[in-house]
Amino acid sequence: METRVPTREEMLAALEKRQGADAVRKLQAATVAVCGLGGLGSNIAISLARAGVGKLILVDFDCVDVTNLHRQQYKACQVGLPKPEALLANLKEIAPYTEYETHFEKVTAENVATLLANADVVCEAFDNAEAKAMLVNAVLETMPQKFLVAASGMAGFEGGNTIRTRKIMDKFYLCGDGVSDVADGIGLVAPRVMLCAAHQALTAIRLILGLE
């Protein structure tokens, strides 16, 4: 069977049929930054791209490892590639008309303002507590106009209903069970990580649409 890539107009028409023209218009005009492209971030980015977010800023300083493959949106043939590069290739296959900006670098207190300057919503998707705290503090203290969607707790094999979204402050939302920690030796499993990522992506979409 012959295959082809749909045109931009065809893909937008399909999105409008499923999501409504007004929602698609708002999503197309939005920019979301995803900081950390592991189990959370790679899944967040794919969900946002599929939903029609106009621009994604993708930031990570890590490379794809074989231990990532059980829960992150990478392929076995991409082991060793920088995560921004590998995820960009996968996203272009899914949503070729989305605008992407990639940064193969670590988010720090010195560069965070520059990296996130154009984002309407920031999704925190780090696996390091210090990095999480740095990003949350930086956004809340120096970029109060931006929405921040962070995560805490998605480890283990507990039921999916323990993962939820909470509004912490006016523009700060936290997704996860708030309790489980991979440091306790309970590990990570793809469905729970993806559930938390889905909460973050959906929260970002709802914020863009003015539903929160």
Side-chain angles (χ1 to χ4, degrees):
M1 179 181 295
E2 185 177 349
T3 64
R4 69 177 181 87
V5 176
T7 65
R8 183 178 187 276
E9 290 71 24
E10 287 174 327
M11 293 191 74
L12 285 175
L15 272 177
E16 290 177 359
K17 184 176 180 180
R18 296 296 183 185
Q19 298 177 183
D22 186 57
V24 171
R25 176 183 59 79
K26 291 177 180 178
L27 291 166
Q28 282 283 291
T31 298
V32 179
V34 183
C35 300
L37 305 177
L40 289 173
S42 61
N43 282 291
I44 291 169
I46 283 179
S47 290
L48 294 176
R50 289 191 186 279
V53 170
K55 180 176 179 179
L56 295 178
I57 300 171
L58 309 172
V59 191
D60 201 306
F61 68 98
D62 203 3
C63 294
V64 181
D65 185 81
V66 65
T67 60
N68 302 150
L69 298 179
H70 80 287
R71 70 189 187 282
Q72 302 182 18
Q73 291 297 325
Y74 301 105
K75 305 170 186 177
C77 63
Q78 293 177 316
V79 169
L81 290 177
K83 286 185 176 179
E85 176 185 336
L87 186 59
L88 177 63
N90 296 343
L91 285 165
K92 283 186 173 180
E93 292 182 6
I94 294 167
Y97 306 110
T98 298
E99 182 180 352
Y100 301 102
E101 178 183 319
T102 61
H103 298 275
F104 183 42
E105 60 183 297
K106 186 174 183 178
V107 181
T108 66
E110 290 71 35
N111 66 13
V112 63
T114 301
L115 290 173
L116 306 183
N118 296 320
D120 303 302
V121 181
V122 177
C123 289
E124 178 277 312
F126 294 140
D127 58 5
N128 177 278
E130 291 183 0
K132 284 177 177 285
M134 180 278 299
L135 181 61
V136 169
N137 290 336
V139 173
L140 294 180
E141 293 174 7
T142 66
M143 295 171 264
Q145 77 281 10
K146 299 184 187 299
F147 288 106
L148 173 63
V149 184
S152 177
M154 71 231 51
F157 294 88
E158 292 295 321
N161 290 338
T162 61
I163 292 175
R164 60 195 182 98
T165 299
R166 292 171 290 158
K167 184 175 182 178
I168 306 300
M169 296 171 59
D170 182 40
K171 292 193 174 185
F172 178 28
Y173 293 76
L174 188 62
C175 305
D177 62 31
V179 177
S180 63
D181 191 336
V182 69
D184 295 331
I186 53 180
L188 293 165
V189 60
R192 274 178 61 83
V193 174
M194 292 173 74
L195 274 170
C196 189
H199 271 259
Q200 288 186 266
L202 182 57
T203 300
I205 288 168
R206 286 176 57 80
L207 291 169
I208 292 166
L209 298 183
L211 299 176
E212 290 288 346

